Amino acid sequence: MFDAAVAAAQPALCLPPHLPPRPKGRTIVIGAGKASAAMARALEDHWDGPLEGLVVTRYGYAVPCERIEIVEAAHPVPDAAGLQATERIHRLVTGLSADDLVIALISGGGSSLLVAPGPGLTLADKQAVNSALLECGASISEMNCVRRHLSSAKGGRLAAACHPARVLTLLISDVPGDSPMDIASGPTVPDTTTSADALAIIERYRIEVPPAVLALLQSPESESVKPGDPRLAGCTTRIITAPQIALEAAAEVARAAGFATYILGDSLEGEARDLGKAVAGIARQVALRGQPFQTPCVLLSGGETTVTIRGNGRGGRNVEFLLALGVALDGLPGVHAIAGDTDGVDGIEEIAGACLSPDTLARAWARGIHPRKSLDNNDGHGFFQALGDSVVTGPTLTNVNDFRAIVIDGASTTGNP
């Protein structure tokens, strides 16, 4: 099921149907995100005219291209390579004409890869804010609101720089709700949030930020490009694949194997450990009572949870969810699960996620590993890796956010055959 979800989101499959006719003038390709290089390759393979451009992707996610330059940079905390690539992208789109076309290839991860500090800010300022946002438990929409108002590229600014050229943005969504302004913090789409919203988020989570950050957010210079801005009149946006499409592909695999399949939602949010505990309650009711679903069945979900860092372990939101699920299920027979990030990276490590089985906790205890202490220490990767239950995919070259599947085979169900 996980493989099917990732395959359904591959750019080679979902991008070609959305390509436009050739323009009278030049075609410039720009982009950022974990899938941007694979998107660039798919575009090259299906474009019948002149083409040039540059996209920036995560280290290890480059795909060979002939006409579009691929640059690698850091994720989730930006680095100098991302800054230099973004400066070059700005130069590429400066001075274009109304006959030219810019194709923007945007996917998850672009927020840290497309780096252009706002007026008065340094790369170190952006790095500090990004790290604090990742640790405080803010939702992805809250994080991206702050990012948009501290950038010279996000929040529609990159599209404004392309004016008067036409801009076609092709998006691979990795955010709950598929809002274009939250995918890579919306560099080519208008922003409905304000600098005051960004300030409120910083205050809500009591984030310590450099003085220059506060000064910028309190000035008009931090305001993003709003709906109705004439510089965006020639912009078109299309979402070419999203978490729901990946979940539906996984559901087909489950049904073919004889399991009734239920998608609980493609945009579940909240603290990863809280969601794990809640979903465990649903799985337990299904397994023991046959409610609200009869077994055997599969429960699928997507979205993007958050993790508030409390310990010093190695983890990510998927393994945090899965470990909380396992602790709450407490070895319930007949229930198996997987949770993984479709980009192949959960947290900051090259580990997509992990698998859970009824004997997971027993195997951990036998090795002297305390499941609840591991959860309290945010050590999901350490926990599952010690058991040999990590899911390692390598770069998947796409990103439609988190994938969670719970298989309930009916072994614990009372009253069911």
Side-chain angles (χ1 to χ4, degrees):
M1 288 187 290
F2 182 79
D3 290 344
V6 171
Q10 288 301 317
L13 174 67
C14 59
L15 184 141
H18 297 277
L19 294 180
R22 289 173 54 180
K24 291 182 181 179
R26 299 163 62 197
T27 301
I28 308 293
V29 179
I30 61 175
K34 297 173 190 174
S36 62
M39 295 171 80
R41 177 60 180 269
L43 195 159
E44 273 197 356
D45 289 345
H46 292 85
W47 191 256
D48 63 354
L51 201 61
E52 57 185 303
L54 183 154
V55 304
V56 55
T57 191
R58 188 181 193 271
Y59 289 120
Y61 280 60
V63 175
C65 291
E66 296 179 0
R67 293 173 285 173
I68 303 169
E69 183 180 353
I70 309 299
V71 175
E72 293 182 317
H75 175 277
V77 178
D79 67 356
L83 176 63
Q84 293 165 5
T86 306
E87 291 172 346
R88 292 181 60 197
I89 287 173
H90 268 287
R91 290 196 292 269
L92 269 176
V93 301
T94 300
L96 298 180
S97 75
D99 289 332
D100 298 328
L101 171 67
V102 175
I103 302 178
L105 308 176
I106 306 297
S107 64
S111 289
S112 63
L113 296 166
L114 199 64
V115 190
L121 300 187
T122 65
L123 176 59
D125 292 331
K126 293 294 294 289
Q127 290 171 327
V129 174
N130 220 48
S131 296
L133 287 169
L134 289 167
E135 294 178 1
C136 73
S139 70
I140 187 63
S141 62
E142 290 173 324
M143 286 192 279
N144 286 346
C145 175
V146 175
R147 289 164 171 164
R148 285 193 295 272
H149 292 92
L150 298 177
S151 173
S152 296
K154 303 178 181 70
R157 295 179 181 88
L158 186 55
C162 298
H163 182 77
R166 292 184 295 116
V167 179
L168 171 63
T169 300
L170 302 180
L171 297 170
I172 292 182
S173 174
D174 71 323
V175 299
D178 303 328
S179 170
M181 73 177 186
D182 277 328
I183 302 169
S185 300
T188 57
V189 298
D191 177 26
T192 60
T193 65
T194 66
S195 301
D197 295 328
L199 273 171
I201 291 165
I202 287 174
E203 293 171 1
R204 182 180 308 141
Y205 291 96
R206 300 179 181 179
I207 301 171
E208 293 186 11
V209 298
V213 169
L214 285 179
L216 177 58
L217 290 177
Q218 292 167 349
S219 77
E221 289 183 295
S222 67
E223 205 48 81
S224 50
V225 180
K226 303 305 179 196
D229 191 298
R231 294 171 296 175
L232 304 189
C235 296
T236 304
T237 302
R238 298 176 187 168
I239 294 178
I240 63 172
T241 193
Q244 178 67 18
I245 295 171
L247 291 174
E248 290 173 356
E252 287 301 314
V253 172
R255 293 187 189 108
F259 288 81
T261 305
Y262 305 95
I263 297 176
L264 302 181
D266 68 341
S267 55
L268 302 187
E269 297 182 86
E271 278 286 330
R273 65 176 60 196
D274 294 341
L275 182 63
K277 186 176 180 180
V279 173
I282 297 172
R284 182 176 292 277
Q285 187 72 5
V286 172
L288 297 177
R289 308 297 185 197
Q291 299 170 334
F293 311 120
Q294 295 290 311
T295 59
C297 69
V298 171
L299 309 180
L300 297 174
S301 67
E304 183 165 351
T305 59
T306 55
V307 174
T308 300
I309 302 298
R310 300 175 175 87
N312 59 4
R314 300 164 44 241
R317 58 183 183 260
N318 286 282
V319 288
E320 180 110 345
F321 163 87
L322 198 65
L323 183 50
L325 177 77
V327 168
L329 288 174
D330 194 24
L332 182 67
V335 181
H336 300 255
I338 185 174
D341 198 317
T342 54
D343 65 10
V345 179
D346 188 30
I348 61 174
E349 298 195 37
E350 305 294 323
I351 302 174
C355 292
L356 178 80
S357 59
D359 67 348
T360 295
L361 265 60
R363 289 188 289 120
W365 283 114
R367 289 168 172 76
I369 303 170
H370 194 303
R372 192 174 295 278
K373 286 184 179 178
S374 294
L375 180 60
D376 291 341
N377 196 36
N378 303 117
D379 195 31
H381 282 323
F383 179 88
F384 288 108
Q385 199 168 38
L387 301 178
D389 291 341
S390 296
V391 174
V392 180
T393 62
T396 64
L397 308 180
T398 191
N399 183 16
V400 284
N401 223 315
D402 300 337
F403 175 86
R404 298 177 288 265
I406 301 173
V407 177
I408 307 172
D409 66 14
S412 296
T413 305
T414 59
N416 278 4

